[in-house]
Amino acid sequence: MTMTRRAILKGMAASPFVGVAGSLISPTAAHAATIDAGQFTLTSRSANRYGEFADLAAGLAGVLPKVDAATVIAGTNRSATRLTAAPSTAEAFQTGFAWDPADQAVDYWIPQGVTTSADAFGNGLYPAGGGNRVVLVSWFFETDPDADGVDEYPLDKGMRLTFVDYNDPAAPRYQHVLLVEPVTTATGAPSFSPVRKHAGGIMWYGDLLYVVDTYKGLRVFDLRTLFRVTTGEGDVCGLHTDGQYYGYGYQYVLPQSHAYDNAGTYLRYTTIGLDRASTPDSLVISEYSTSGTVSYTDGAFNGTGAPSTATPKVVRWNLDYTTRHPASLTATEAVSVAQQKIQGVVSRNGRHYLSVSNGPSGTGALRTFTSGAATASTVCDLAVGCEDLSYHSSGASGWAYGESVIWNVSEYAGKRYVYAVRADGS
């Protein structure tokens, strides 16, 4: 991309976005409208049917070594490959990496969500007072990768989270951990189970990781509370008959610590993003649909009911900076946007950004619209198989690029990249 074109695009970024000529996906307008935010509400939940999350974690701490995320980051055991040019069909490339050959090729673990330490803390470094630059990526386990109706891998291992040490962008290193829900056995012993959900979007805020639960709401994981387990059994999760604890072969497990369940109008929790420019900080949720309308008949949705189909929405909740939890259980903003295949969302200064996928061979796109605007338009191309988004402000003093960037992750085997594009598309 020439500097001349980049300068032109940067000039365009100062005014409302218009369609950019080139290899972008369909420029068809995605119509947007403001709707009643009060219909979208959450309930806070500190327990599951086995007891309080805090008590269950305390039980695990009594039988397993407890560690924090900084320990995992310091002990990464796999090497990623630096990207020196834009991956796949992506434009406006800033930085990124590809997984090792095994994780590029594996068909049953599929990457979905992305967030970084620039979400966790305003200076971009983790932990508070520390100096790590970190990228987190979520994956879900697919039992039927070729979609032929037959489970090639009948044991669903749920969700995993990857900690990427990005202190040296030339040589990133990473480690997978298993996301679990704390439980007790029939005899009352502490244990844990896999979380068999899609992990479509994640958000890191302070020491808390938010993971969307498509039909139910939000699951919360505390990155100060992980447990080291035995690694010898690749098909066992939790307390085994030999008295050891396993996490499907992974060295660490991260147990759920809280939940926010949808209580208002049905909402498909497809993806999540953090907005640090709002006052106060806020999170936004967006919905996926294949055709520009969302169906609520394909799962056991929490909430008060909705039409069988509806226009996809972006919904905002305010956050409490001191607790890192929602400041209110009622949404403060909601907009509908008739855009199909939304895979990621972030918001900044009244502008919403969407990642829009286009199948296993089609070019992805970063699209944007402002609250109250009529339509969305395209910023730049993204990689084939684009998924979640994470906004990385140029104001992150400890980890900043020359301008703000947006991280994305792509999902298809052999085309899996984690990379950042310049937020203005230049």
Side-chain angles (χ1 to χ4, degrees):
M1 183 178 297
T2 67
M3 287 303 293
T4 300
R5 181 175 182 234
R6 186 176 182 203
I8 292 171
L9 289 169
K10 285 179 70 66
M12 290 167 58
S15 60
F17 277 96
V18 297
V20 179
S23 57
L24 305 176
I25 71 166
S26 172
T28 301
H31 295 282
T34 300
I35 58 176
D36 174 27
Q39 64 185 299
F40 302 104
T41 60
L42 299 165
T43 56
S44 177
R45 179 164 57 86
S46 63
N48 60 16
R49 66 188 182 91
Y50 297 94
E52 292 287 322
F53 287 122
D55 294 339
L56 295 169
L60 289 170
V63 294
L64 289 170
K66 179 182 172 182
V67 302
D68 59 17
T71 301
V72 177
I73 296 163
T76 50
N77 58 2
R78 300 190 184 200
S79 296
T81 301
R82 178 187 185 182
L83 294 175
T84 57
S88 182
T89 56
E91 297 178 316
F93 173 74
Q94 179 67 47
T95 188
F97 61 89
W99 307 105
D100 73 12
D103 285 322
Q104 276 287 357
V106 64
D107 60 350
Y108 47 80
W109 281 114
I110 302 177
Q112 295 289 290
V114 65
T115 184
T116 77
S117 51
D119 280 337
F121 292 102
N123 66 358
L125 303 177
Y126 186 83
N132 288 307
R133 303 174 180 186
V134 186
V135 178
L136 299 183
V137 174
S138 63
W139 309 59
F140 79 96
F141 194 93
E142 176 55 75
T143 59
D144 180 18
D146 59 8
D148 63 354
V150 178
D151 287 336
E152 287 81 12
Y153 307 100
L155 177 58
D156 184 349
K157 297 183 179 181
M159 305 188 300
R160 72 181 183 184
L161 181 71
T162 305
F163 289 82
V164 183
D165 178 349
Y166 210 61
N167 287 306
D168 181 2
R173 290 184 58 79
Y174 64 97
Q175 171 132 303
H176 303 306
V177 307
L178 190 70
L179 294 175
V180 297
E181 184 167 358
V183 301
T184 57
T185 68
T187 62
S191 189
F192 47 83
S193 298
V195 182
R196 293 183 171 124
K197 300 294 179 179
H198 190 65
I202 57 177
M203 183 192 82
W204 192 357
Y205 192 50
D207 286 302
L208 300 183
L209 177 73
Y210 287 76
V211 180
V212 292
D213 185 330
T214 306
Y215 304 113
K216 195 168 187 178
L218 303 171
R219 293 176 183 250
V220 184
F221 299 79
D222 191 328
L223 298 183
R224 295 165 294 190
T225 305
L226 295 92
F227 296 100
R228 184 182 293 114
V229 295
T230 307
T231 58
E233 293 284 349
D235 290 335
V236 177
C237 181
L239 179 60
H240 195 34
T241 53
D242 63 2
Q244 299 294 312
Y245 288 83
Y246 299 95
Y248 291 138
Y250 295 111
Q251 186 176 5
Y252 299 103
V253 298
L254 173 57
Q256 184 176 342
S257 62
H258 204 85
Y260 288 95
D261 298 332
N262 193 65
T265 300
Y266 280 1
L267 188 67
R268 180 180 288 270
Y269 288 76
T270 299
T271 187
I272 185 172
L274 174 66
D275 187 349
R276 281 191 167 277
S278 62
T279 303
D281 294 346
S282 56
L283 66 84
V284 288
I285 298 294
S286 67
E287 299 184 292
Y288 175 86
S289 71
T290 56
S291 62
T293 56
V294 182
S295 172
Y296 301 97
T297 61
D298 60 345
F301 283 89
N302 272 17
T304 57
S308 58
T309 58
T311 305
K313 293 170 286 295
V314 174
V315 183
R316 182 190 303 272
W317 277 268
N318 287 340
L319 292 166
D320 184 331
Y321 179 82
T322 59
T323 67
R324 304 290 177 167
H325 285 269
S328 171
L329 298 178
T330 301
T332 58
E333 181 188 13
V335 293
S336 63
V337 55
Q339 173 67 62
Q340 64 184 19
K341 298 182 179 179
I342 299 171
Q343 301 281 11
V345 63
V346 288
S347 297
R348 204 76 176 182
N349 297 320
R351 182 175 293 280
H352 307 291
Y353 297 85
L354 310 171
S355 58
V356 178
S357 63
N358 195 20
S361 59
T363 300
L366 180 66
R367 308 203 78 194
T368 188
F369 67 99
T370 56
S371 296
T375 60
S377 54
T378 301
V379 180
C380 66
D381 288 353
L382 295 177
V384 172
C386 63
E387 288 289 326
D388 198 21
L389 298 175
S390 178
Y391 196 99
H392 187 149
S393 172
S394 60
S397 59
W399 181 17
Y401 298 101
E403 54 196 276
S404 296
V405 300
I406 296 176
W407 289 84
N408 180 239
V409 58
S410 52
E411 69 172 344
Y412 294 115
K415 303 176 184 178
R416 290 176 177 158
Y417 309 104
V418 182
Y419 62 99
V421 300
R422 290 179 288 275
D424 66 359
S426 64

